[in-house]
Amino acid sequence: MKLEKEAILEALKTITVAGEGKNMVESGAITNVITFGDEVVVDMTLATPALHIRKRAEVDVMKVIHEKVYEKAKVKVNVKVEAAAAKAEVPKIKGNPIPGIKNIVAVASGKGGVGKSTVTANLAVTLAKMGFKVGLLDADIYGPSAPIMFDVERERPLSVKVGNASKMKPVESYGVKILSIGFFTQPDQAVVWRGPMAAKALNQMIFDAAWGELDFLLVDLPPGTGDIHLSIMQSLPITGAVVVSTPQNVALADARKGVAMFQQESISVPVLGIIQNMAYFTPEELPENKYYLFGKDGAKNLAEDLNVPFLGDLPLVQSIREAGDVGRPAALQTATPLEKAFEEMTRNVVQEVVNRNESLPPTEAIKITTMAGCSAVKK
């Protein structure tokens, strides 16, 4: 039996690609149809690389031809994936803006144990000291530490009315508004959740919270590159990401992956820079001495290699650990080298946010365009 191309096209008009409204012919997914007797070759171009969508489209094409044209037709489907061209030079950052929040900064690390949560806590209180309105979302679902570091373990968010809706009021400490899954679990209770449940809890803490007006919302991400990270980046228009690493090669290998996660085309979150934590050890009795226990300048060299800003060194000193354990971040220790180190790092983060807002298209969630309010910056 000789098959007609027109009959094939009419049959293909009755099916669509998953997620698209138009049929395969009108949408341009079908690029060519060739017939040879009872043989049919259908060329398709899809905008999504998802394997299940490609397989579904291939099966649908074969099925409709067999049902509507000829049940014994020999059908071959060639599927080509061609991502839609970007509409602008800079990809749009995904997510829904939260009214009142101007900048959302994700703090991440490729691996655990590099002091990411400690850096986030001290960055938050330093921003607050500089005069900014700051919030901290502890998105480390499986290891929440913000309640301990801010000495608010026994606190619980209150319910407040915002318009006609009930919202969670974040717990406030040292001028920072905080929400963490740690407020809703017992100290000895493990959070054993699959990804969808963790993502739902995060969405509630993000969108069902009365954050109010914030200049910065810091998001303390879990270590690594996984489901929680994707959920956050799908939910929020992240202004930029900060990656924390220690100098040794084991940490740097994972920090490189952390930067790559934000930079990949499907995510495209600007990387504000890399912070080198535990850059050197200084004993209390020898404050001028520096011992490079984990190597020297590893994260700084990585930043240069990846062409991202280097945001500063933070020392490994006993008082930082002690301050975190008692719930009073070390950056609050006035007139100390630690305060100076955290202020320098924070100034660099703020400056990179300013640079990012000036060089990339603004979104509703990105408003800061000057360093006004930053008392630690030399004007």
Side-chain angles (χ1 to χ4, degrees):
M1 176 180 178
K2 184 179 179 181
L3 301 177
E4 298 294 333
K5 180 177 179 179
E6 290 74 16
I8 302 293
L9 289 173
E10 284 300 316
L12 294 175
K13 286 180 181 179
T14 63
I15 54 176
T16 63
V17 177
E20 295 184 6
K22 296 181 179 179
N23 67 60
M24 286 189 176
V25 177
E26 290 179 352
S27 67
I30 303 297
T31 56
N32 196 22
V33 174
I34 303 173
T35 60
F36 305 93
D38 62 352
E39 297 181 15
V40 183
V41 178
V42 178
D43 293 332
M44 296 181 62
T45 300
L46 301 181
T48 174
L51 181 61
H52 69 283
I53 292 180
R54 288 160 50 191
K55 288 294 183 185
R56 168 74 181 275
E58 187 176 347
V59 169
D60 285 350
V61 167
M62 297 177 72
K63 184 178 179 182
V64 78
I65 291 174
H66 288 147
E67 288 181 352
K68 295 184 177 295
V69 183
Y70 181 45
E71 63 179 356
K72 296 183 179 179
K74 300 172 184 176
V75 183
K76 182 179 180 183
V77 182
N78 299 320
V79 181
K80 178 182 177 184
V81 176
E82 192 173 275
K87 294 182 180 179
E89 291 184 8
V90 180
K92 278 190 175 181
I93 297 174
K94 304 170 186 64
N96 301 315
I98 303 175
I101 298 181
K102 298 174 183 176
N103 294 274
I104 302 173
V105 176
V107 184
S109 65
K111 69 186 280 90
V114 299
K116 167 187 52 61
S117 294
T118 299
V119 170
T120 307
N122 283 282
L123 175 59
V125 297
T126 305
L127 285 168
K129 283 167 58 182
M130 291 176 173
F132 291 112
K133 297 174 183 176
V134 186
L136 193 160
L137 173 65
D138 187 358
D140 194 348
I141 291 289
Y142 305 109
S145 52
I148 296 175
M149 291 189 169
F150 283 86
D151 194 24
V152 287
E153 287 179 275
R154 298 180 184 276
E155 300 289 334
R156 295 293 180 266
L158 300 175
S159 177
V160 295
K161 278 283 187 180
V162 179
N164 296 322
S166 293
K167 299 271 188 178
M168 285 183 288
K169 182 182 179 182
V171 173
E172 191 162 341
S173 180
Y174 308 121
V176 179
K177 296 179 179 179
I178 308 156
L179 275 182
S180 168
I181 199 67
F183 292 137
F184 308 100
T185 59
Q186 297 300 319
D188 57 351
Q189 179 184 352
V191 179
V192 188
W193 289 349
R194 292 191 183 274
M197 187 178 292
K200 184 178 179 181
L202 280 173
N203 271 320
Q204 287 181 320
M205 288 196 292
I206 294 168
F207 296 107
D208 292 342
W211 289 106
E213 297 290 327
L214 295 179
D215 294 310
F216 289 94
L217 174 63
L218 303 182
V219 182
D220 184 10
L221 292 172
T225 55
D227 192 47
I228 300 298
H229 304 74
L230 292 176
S231 296
I232 287 287
M233 288 181 284
Q234 287 174 342
S235 300
L236 292 172
I238 305 294
T239 305
V242 170
V243 176
V244 179
S245 180
T246 47
Q248 76 269 37
N249 288 338
V250 171
L252 296 173
D254 290 332
R256 184 184 293 271
K257 296 172 186 174
V259 172
M261 172 184 69
F262 291 112
Q263 291 182 334
Q264 63 180 301
E265 187 178 351
S266 59
I267 293 175
S268 297
V269 169
V271 176
L272 301 175
I274 296 175
I275 293 171
Q276 182 166 249
N277 194 27
M278 309 182 202
Y280 52 85
F281 168 64
T282 296
E284 188 176 359
E285 63 275 12
L286 298 169
E288 300 302 319
N289 289 26
K290 294 181 179 180
Y291 301 94
Y292 298 93
L293 303 180
F294 301 119
K296 188 175 181 181
D297 292 337
K300 185 176 183 180
N301 294 333
L302 177 64
E304 292 176 1
D305 184 38
L306 298 178
N307 196 28
V308 299
F310 179 66
L311 300 173
D313 285 326
L314 296 174
L316 172 63
V317 296
Q318 185 172 329
S319 63
I320 294 180
R321 191 274 304 164
E322 292 172 341
D325 284 350
V326 300
R328 183 175 171 81
L332 295 170
Q333 300 172 12
T334 57
T336 63
L338 281 181
E339 182 189 44
K340 183 179 178 182
F342 284 119
E343 282 190 350
E344 182 179 350
M345 172 200 73
T346 304
R347 284 199 304 270
N348 290 336
V349 171
V350 174
Q351 186 61 63
E352 289 305 323
V353 171
V354 172
N355 295 344
R356 179 257 178 274
N357 291 345
E358 289 177 346
S359 61
L360 297 180
T363 70
E364 291 182 23
I366 300 171
K367 299 294 183 185
I368 286 184
T369 55
T370 71
M371 297 284 279
C374 186
S375 61
V377 176
K378 294 180 180 178
K379 298 180 177 65

